[in-house]
Amino acid sequence: MALNKEIWLSAIVENLYPDNSFATKSVDDSAFVVNRKVHIPNAGAPSKVVTNRTEKPAKVSQRTDNELTYEIDELTTDPIYIPNIDTVELSYDKRNSVIANDRAQLQEAAHVNILERWGGGVDTNHVLLTTGTATRDAHTSATATGQRKSICKADVLKLMTAMDADNVPEAGRYMLLDAYMYADLLNDLSESDKWMFQNSANVQSGVLGNLYGFNIMKRSSVLRVTSAKALLKWGAEGAADENAAALAWQESCLSRALGEVKMFDDTDSPTYYGDIYSFLVRTGGGIRRYDKKGVFMLAEAATA
């Protein structure tokens, strides 16, 4: 009787992680990540301009400046143990796989932290609702129920108009959509719109196209909000009426701070008979402007 030989591949199928290139489209405060809190000074109102002034001497006033602050969070992974036998008997390199995956998971958590810092600072009057005629099932969690109005190109035009009205610079405008909202937006574009959109893409920088001045980017998930337009963090319990939300911003209006990932290790532990690893990163971010201009959320509207 023949004996069949079992074959074990030398490479392991790794976990998948979302694209986090959106974070680079902001002001980099990473040099200050070693501090507990970052302060962002904001200029006060400029002096009043008078035509053909008759009152002299003119009244002298003093400008009052403002400041915004955001705190730096410290994110750490649970320590992970690799028995010595796993480094000897397995056909693949488990140590490298564990280190790479835990580092990637920590980076993912850090970027979600930055996204939620940005979204949490948006005023409710800067949260617009989708107006598309097409509808789709709520998709942010298993708890969310009902139908939501799809995003349409008219919603992007509305965001452009709102930023234009606030004198937000046209250069450096971005919009981050989740996978479902991005698909809905593409579906709303005409063939000529799609041609122009795709021809304005810059894949190397994570930009899939430009629409009404916004560099459109995509991520598996972005943000979610309550029916009252308040941010609902991904770690929080879901709600039946929660809604997915996209983020639109101008790059000078947001800050990010992201430190280097630090690895802690206890190799050849005499009590565990193996290796133990854990990771740490410091991160934070926030809206840079005291008036909150230049940052919007576009939330899916629930159907009646």
Side-chain angles (χ1 to χ4, degrees):
M1 178 179 176
L3 295 177
N4 294 327
K5 181 180 179 180
E6 293 185 357
I7 298 175
W8 290 86
L9 298 180
S10 60
I12 185 172
V13 178
E14 299 289 5
N15 295 305
L16 300 176
Y17 297 94
D19 180 8
N20 288 316
S21 56
F22 72 89
T24 62
K25 319 304 182 186
S26 60
V27 178
D28 190 4
D29 289 342
S30 298
F32 311 110
V33 77
V34 295
N35 300 284
R36 174 60 62 181
K37 184 178 291 188
V38 178
H39 296 255
I40 306 173
N42 274 227
S47 300
K48 178 181 177 183
V49 176
V50 177
T51 302
N52 299 325
R53 186 185 301 273
T54 58
E55 180 186 357
K56 298 177 182 178
K59 183 179 179 181
V60 178
S61 60
Q62 186 174 351
R63 193 180 81 173
T64 301
D65 294 335
N66 304 295
E67 75 162 3
L68 291 176
T69 63
Y70 65 85
E71 294 187 352
I72 298 297
D73 288 331
E74 185 177 87
L75 281 59
T76 55
T77 64
D78 290 339
I80 190 163
Y81 164 56
I82 304 176
N84 179 260
I85 196 170
D86 283 356
T87 65
V88 176
E89 295 187 351
L90 297 179
S91 63
Y92 58 91
D93 191 335
K94 185 169 184 177
R95 179 187 286 108
N96 282 345
S97 176
V98 166
I99 290 174
N101 276 263
D102 278 19
R103 286 176 65 95
Q105 183 63 27
L106 188 60
Q107 289 278 10
E108 158 66 359
H111 284 85
V112 170
N113 178 283
I114 292 172
L115 257 182
E116 292 181 338
R117 293 289 197 92
W118 291 354
V122 177
D123 283 343
T124 54
N125 62 343
H126 278 198
V127 181
L128 307 185
L129 298 178
T130 55
T131 60
T133 55
T135 61
R136 184 183 23 75
D137 291 337
H139 65 274
T140 47
S141 71
T143 312
T145 59
Q147 294 281 302
R148 303 292 185 267
K149 293 182 180 180
S150 297
I151 182 177
C152 60
K153 64 181 182 180
D155 297 328
V156 183
L157 180 62
K158 188 187 302 182
L159 285 167
M160 181 202 76
T161 304
M163 285 199 183
D164 289 347
D166 283 341
N167 294 317
V168 176
E170 294 187 21
R173 292 184 185 182
Y174 292 89
M175 181 180 294
L176 183 64
L177 303 172
D178 71 25
Y180 293 91
M181 295 183 77
Y182 177 74
D184 290 341
L185 180 60
L186 281 186
N187 190 53
D188 188 63
L189 299 180
S190 65
E191 289 303 316
S192 59
D193 288 336
K194 289 179 183 176
W195 185 87
M196 289 186 291
F197 177 78
Q198 292 168 350
N199 275 274
S200 61
N202 186 344
V203 179
Q204 288 184 335
S205 65
V207 175
L208 303 177
N210 189 283
L211 183 63
Y212 297 126
F214 287 98
N215 294 306
I216 306 297
M217 306 183 75
K218 179 178 63 172
R219 195 175 186 275
S220 55
S221 61
V222 181
L223 295 167
R224 59 178 182 162
V225 296
T226 66
S227 57
K229 300 182 178 181
L231 179 74
L232 184 62
K233 292 187 176 182
W234 288 107
E237 184 177 351
D241 58 352
E242 69 181 59
N243 303 300
L247 187 71
W249 74 97
Q250 200 278 336
E251 60 186 355
S252 66
C253 299
L254 290 175
S255 284
R256 73 182 187 279
L258 186 60
E260 296 292 328
V261 175
K262 180 176 177 59
M263 183 176 79
F264 300 87
D265 64 283
D266 183 6
T267 57
D268 297 328
S269 169
T271 53
Y272 280 88
Y273 308 98
D275 304 330
I276 301 173
Y277 299 95
S278 64
F279 299 87
L280 174 151
V281 70
R282 293 173 61 83
T283 185
I287 292 178
R288 292 183 64 82
R289 295 190 59 86
Y290 195 79
D291 54 19
K292 305 298 180 72
K293 290 181 179 180
V295 187
F296 287 82
M297 281 197 288
L298 178 62
E300 290 185 329
T303 57

